[in-house]
Amino acid sequence: MADRSFLDWPFFDDAHRALADRADRWAAAELADVDHSNVDETCKALVAALGEAGWLRLTAVDPADPASRIDVRSLCILRETLARHDGLADFAFAMQGLGTGAISLFGTQEQKSRWLTLTRAGKALSAFALSEPASGSDVANMAMTATRDGQAYVLDGEKTWISNGGIADVYTVFARTGEAPGAKGLSVFIVPADTPGLEIAERLEVVAPHPLARLKFSDCRIPASAMIGKPGEGFRIAMSVLDVFRSTVAAAALGFARRALDESLSRVRERELFGAPMSELQMVQGHIADMALDVDASALLVYRAAWLKDQGAARVSREAAMAKLYATDRAQDVIDKAVQLHGGDGVRKGHIVESLYREIRALRIYEGASDVQKVVIARQTLANSTGG
Ligand SMILES: Cc1cc2nc3c(=O)[nH]c(=O)nc-3n(C[C@H](O)[C@H](O)[C@H](O)COP(=O)(O)OP(=O)(O)OC[C@H]3O[C@@H](n4cnc5c(N)ncnc54)[C@H](O)[C@@H]3O)c2cc1C
């Protein structure tokens, strides 16, 4: 049983504690044996199941309620819980939020009603298309263009590493509209998957498989009303979306780390070495102590960032960057220790700690690589200091 004591921290209220209990019970019942052999079909089925159970309502604002907001602590609790049970379920949940984040935060009522009604019910899958072959970390270097033509925009260019690429029903796509050079000349558009001129150019395989693709846009015509926000606001919108969802990547890493710790605790209690349970070896206890400390310290950073955002902070870039950098980095180490404590079983294909070892790696790269998070933290720390 995973440690639940963090739910008594002051970041949470009773509704969060009840949510965590319900989510854990649902995940234990529904995610015990998820088939990862066909990730496309499994992700579609997971989205449908998450929608039916009501969890996807947390991923976006309610179009019927103008006062509705995304509660980042709830998102983090769900991601931590789902990741602890199954990485693909966490992925399916997270993408419904990331893919529609721009619509939730900056969409018109019409855009919200059309798309969020579907994605929150698990009846449409969404994707976030920002990265390009030559601009991953350097978003402002984006090459893809959106050219105004009467009441339409025409999209030309490529996007790559797009999660849910190939199975999404709708993409939020960032492109250069050219109001100014660099970051100030980008805009964002809603592009339904069946729009002529949008093609899945290549499916990409990674160490922990999930639906992923390179997209090609050729003379892809969309109505001007598909723009989210105003021309030139694309970079600001992308950063605002990441400001909400970055902490949730850290929460997923925390879920993976907690599972690795739980598996290790069972292992060292059950396995006998040199005539006694492994847990009596002090070097083993040293690993357990390091893992427990990393998990708690990560949780503090994750839920501080989420709580701060929920208190109404306009931006939490520094806190979200700290949470993502620390929790993903430490989870990698916690999982590595779990593999070590499991001996040969730890690297056996299909073992839970072997799959965690593969699941965690990409989290230190996407939604801002660890090095980029350090740049964000350093810049803000320097800016906030008085220099005296
Ligand atoms: C599994 C997976 C899923 C993804 N899903 C999506 C998605 O859904 N939508 C989307 O738009 N993108 C997605 N991405 C893309 C992801 O955001 C980019 O891979 C990431 O931003 C890094 O860009 P890059 O791969 O071009 O690497 P590069 O930008 O070439 O960076 C390479 C490395 O350089 C280092 N680096 C970068 N900047 C700095 C700096 N300022 N200082 C020091 N070092 C630095 C980092 O170590 C970085 O890993 C996904 C990627 C992966 C692997």
Side-chain angles (χ1 to χ4, degrees):
M1 178 70 181
D3 178 13
R4 317 281 289 154
S5 58
F6 73 99
L7 290 165
D8 294 327
W9 294 349
F11 300 123
F12 306 104
D13 55 36
D14 286 343
H16 293 116
R17 284 181 272 277
L19 177 76
D21 284 345
R22 267 188 289 124
D24 195 47
R25 275 201 304 278
W26 183 86
E30 303 294 327
L31 305 177
D33 195 18
V34 177
D35 177 8
H36 285 215
S37 60
N38 182 338
V39 288
D40 285 8
E41 292 313 314
T42 302
C43 276
K44 289 184 204 167
L46 283 166
V47 167
L50 288 160
E52 203 166 309
W55 302 122
L56 296 180
R57 290 204 287 266
L58 299 170
T59 63
V61 299
D62 180 356
D65 175 6
S68 140
R69 296 174 61 235
I70 294 175
D71 185 75
V72 186
R73 286 166 295 173
S74 299
L75 276 184
C76 288
I77 287 170
L78 253 290
R79 287 204 67 178
E80 180 187 335
T81 306
L82 294 173
R84 189 155 47 73
H85 287 274
D86 184 77
L88 213 49
D90 164 61
F91 167 82
F93 173 82
M95 284 314 303
Q96 293 299 95
L98 183 67
T100 57
I103 303 176
S104 271
L105 300 181
F106 297 93
T108 61
Q109 184 55 43
E110 197 187 329
Q111 290 169 338
K112 288 178 189 168
S113 299
R114 167 142 189 229
W115 291 108
L116 302 185
T117 309
L118 294 173
T119 59
R120 289 171 93 244
K123 294 188 187 309
L125 280 79
S126 70
F128 177 78
L130 181 69
S131 304
E132 297 184 1
S135 75
S137 307
D138 187 4
V139 175
N141 190 35
M142 185 175 293
M144 179 161 158
T145 54
T147 312
R148 183 84 195 226
D149 181 14
Q151 285 311 301
Y153 277 93
V154 182
L155 304 178
D156 283 289
E158 277 192 12
K159 293 287 165 186
T160 194
W161 302 117
I162 306 310
S163 296
N164 270 354
I167 63 165
D169 297 290
V170 63
Y171 296 84
T172 47
V173 180
F174 295 80
R176 181 163 298 287
T177 35
E179 292 70 25
K184 297 218 163 97
L186 308 180
S187 302
V188 54
F189 302 90
I190 301 171
V191 184
D194 58 3
T195 308
L198 163 55
E199 171 201 345
I200 306 302
E202 184 185 7
R203 294 299 299 267
L204 308 171
E205 282 190 52
V206 286
V207 285
H210 68 242
L212 199 63
R214 179 167 61 85
L215 315 178
K216 195 163 188 313
F217 296 79
S218 320
D219 202 16
C220 177
R221 188 171 286 267
I222 47 167
S225 59
M227 182 183 280
I228 306 170
K230 296 195 180 67
E233 285 187 344
F235 186 83
R236 186 172 78 84
I237 292 176
M239 294 308 123
S240 300
V241 171
L242 293 176
D243 214 47
V244 171
F245 287 94
R246 226 166 231 164
S247 308
T248 79
V249 179
L254 175 61
F256 291 142
R258 246 191 239 287
R259 178 68 182 265
L261 175 56
D262 289 348
E263 295 293 331
S264 302
L265 290 170
S266 301
R267 174 81 178 193
V268 301
R269 279 201 192 99
E270 283 160 17
R271 177 127 174 117
E272 296 231 333
L273 283 186
F274 310 106
M278 268 179 88
S279 57
E280 290 184 15
L281 297 169
Q282 285 199 339
M283 293 269 276
V284 168
Q285 292 178 3
H287 284 320
I288 297 293
D290 288 343
M291 294 161 88
L293 176 60
D294 283 343
V295 164
D296 264 27
S298 298
L300 281 162
L301 286 172
V302 168
Y303 289 109
R304 176 195 53 172
W307 172 82
L308 205 56
K309 188 76 186 167
D310 290 339
Q311 297 315 296
R315 294 294 291 262
V316 292
S317 313
R318 176 174 169 273
E319 291 77 10
M322 284 183 170
K324 182 175 186 282
L325 173 66
Y326 192 84
T328 57
D329 186 66
R330 291 296 82 213
Q332 181 91 55
D333 202 53
V334 168
I335 293 166
D336 189 62
K337 286 193 169 79
V339 169
Q340 195 71 16
L341 289 171
H342 278 76
D345 281 340
V347 288
R348 194 165 174 192
K349 214 169 168 189
H351 194 286
I352 178 69
V353 295
E354 177 269 340
S355 69
L356 290 168
Y357 192 74
R358 290 183 289 102
E359 293 274 8
I360 188 59
R361 192 60 187 88
L363 276 64
R364 293 170 62 208
I365 295 172
Y366 61 64
E367 290 188 44
S370 296
D371 316 69
V372 173
Q373 307 306 332
K374 283 190 188 171
V375 172
V376 171
I377 296 165
R379 274 197 194 140
Q380 293 227 354
T381 304
L382 286 163
N384 293 350
S385 78
T386 55

